[in-house]
Amino acid sequence: MIGKKLFKIVGISFIAILIRSMLQLIIPSANQTVLQQSAFVMNGTLPIAFMIYGTVAFTALTFIFTFIQKGMGGGRISKGLKTGLIFSLVWTIFLVEPLPHGSTIDLFSYPIADSFVLLILGLMSGRFLSENSPKKKHKLTMDSIFNISIITLTFAIGRMILYRVFHIYSMFEQAQGRTLAWVICAGIITGFMFEYLKYTIDVQNPYTKTFIFGGIIFGVNLFFFNFFLPLVLKVDILDLSIRTLIDIVSVIIGCLITNVKASKVLKEVNY
């Protein structure tokens, strides 16, 4: 049974990255000159590296789906569609981050291509790896707004540390307004992701719940997203690692604040 499920997960992931690889062939080249091409591009092994890495990355995301779908309401297709939409929303906001090598073509082509594939991945996962469940309604409350605000704040603080202390590769010095606007939007979308998916984590301990979302659901997503870039372009791996780590830690801190607060309120009510 476990072997059959694993086969489905890897198979779905391979089909998804195969579709993404085909889409890559029709994405217009931006001809950026800021970063050099990666060693994979130079020696002609990019297609193989992209397929292997992509299969591993999508396998990880599909495993996450099998975990969160248990606490998600609705039919199988609905679960897959909702997960695909949430993941594509997060990937899109990080794809449009203002960066020196970014181009207008990339701002449209990559979000469209990746979102399409993540939706396909979600729909296939929903169809073959989930079960129908009673529908659940999610309402926006004052607590929701507080939670999203806290995560946005901690994400923004983390980014200020990255820009001011570590001086990461960014457009912060050249376009502070646009960069700060992006930081706020990225924090809000990450907070929304938490607010929607926290109900799928059937754990009461606030620390465990925080790690599951911040370290796994968000963290694994961000890790695999960020490290797609070195396949194509020659980037500073240390810079990319610091950026990834602090983004994840800042979200974990925000989630911890909201989860501890919710846990205290629950104890007071029960008491």
Side-chain angles (χ1 to χ4, degrees):
M1 188 70 178
I2 296 177
K4 185 178 180 180
K5 185 175 182 179
L6 180 61
F7 178 79
K8 286 183 179 180
I9 290 173
V10 176
I12 288 169
S13 303
F14 180 77
I15 292 171
I17 196 60
L18 185 62
I19 295 172
R20 180 62 183 83
S21 298
M22 290 188 289
L23 289 175
Q24 185 67 28
L25 297 175
I26 63 175
I27 292 178
S29 176
N31 296 321
Q32 66 83 29
T33 57
V34 177
L35 297 175
Q36 297 178 9
Q37 293 181 326
S38 71
F40 298 108
V41 174
M42 299 301 290
N43 60 27
T45 59
L46 177 61
I48 297 174
F50 193 83
M51 288 293 295
I52 294 173
Y53 181 85
T55 300
V56 174
F58 285 166
T59 295
L61 299 191
T62 306
F63 266 114
I64 291 174
F65 170 78
T66 62
F67 173 77
I68 64 178
Q69 66 87 22
K70 297 176 183 178
M72 188 178 291
R76 292 181 297 173
I77 299 300
S78 173
K79 289 181 178 183
L81 181 61
K82 286 184 287 188
T83 304
L85 283 170
I86 292 171
F87 284 2
S88 65
L89 191 61
V90 173
W91 279 45
T92 294
I93 192 61
F94 280 94
L95 279 168
V96 299
E97 177 183 358
L99 293 172
H101 71 275
S103 69
T104 303
I105 292 175
D106 291 344
L107 289 177
F108 289 97
S109 58
Y110 281 92
I112 291 172
D114 285 343
S115 294
F116 177 76
V117 173
L118 287 169
L119 286 174
I120 295 296
L121 182 70
L123 289 170
M124 288 193 296
S125 300
R127 172 62 179 81
F128 297 108
L129 296 170
S130 68
E131 299 176 353
N132 295 328
S133 303
K135 290 184 178 181
K136 293 183 179 180
K137 292 184 178 181
H138 300 279
K139 295 181 179 180
L140 186 66
T141 65
M142 291 305 296
D143 282 340
S144 301
I145 296 173
F146 172 82
N147 294 343
I148 293 172
S149 299
I150 288 297
I151 291 174
T152 301
L153 177 61
T154 57
F155 181 81
I157 292 172
R159 276 286 164 157
M160 289 304 102
I161 292 172
L162 286 170
Y163 297 140
R164 293 296 192 183
V165 178
F166 292 99
H167 304 287
I168 62 166
Y169 174 72
S170 71
M171 289 285 289
F172 182 72
E173 296 300 331
Q174 301 95 319
Q176 286 193 9
R178 186 152 58 98
T179 301
L180 290 174
W182 175 85
V183 169
I184 294 171
C185 289
I188 290 172
I189 288 176
T190 303
F192 170 79
M193 182 188 188
F194 166 76
E195 189 62 21
Y196 190 82
L197 293 182
K198 71 178 183 180
Y199 299 103
T200 68
I201 306 172
D202 189 21
V203 176
Q204 297 302 319
N205 185 288
Y207 300 97
T208 304
K209 194 168 188 173
T210 294
F211 174 75
I212 291 174
F213 177 82
I216 299 177
I217 297 177
F218 174 77
V220 170
N221 248 296
L222 185 63
F223 173 86
F224 280 111
F225 168 83
N226 278 348
F227 282 87
F228 261 109
L229 186 61
L231 296 180
V232 182
L233 299 173
K234 190 175 181 180
V235 299
D236 185 336
I237 298 299
L238 179 60
D239 179 280
L240 191 61
S241 299
I242 292 172
R243 171 198 304 268
T244 304
L245 178 62
I246 292 186
D247 277 349
I248 292 172
V249 169
S250 65
V251 170
I252 286 176
I253 292 172
C255 293
L256 184 60
I257 293 171
T258 64
N259 283 330
V260 168
K261 174 181 175 293
S263 179
K264 288 182 178 179
V265 171
L266 184 62
K267 286 180 179 179
E268 290 174 0
V269 171
N270 292 336
Y271 182 78

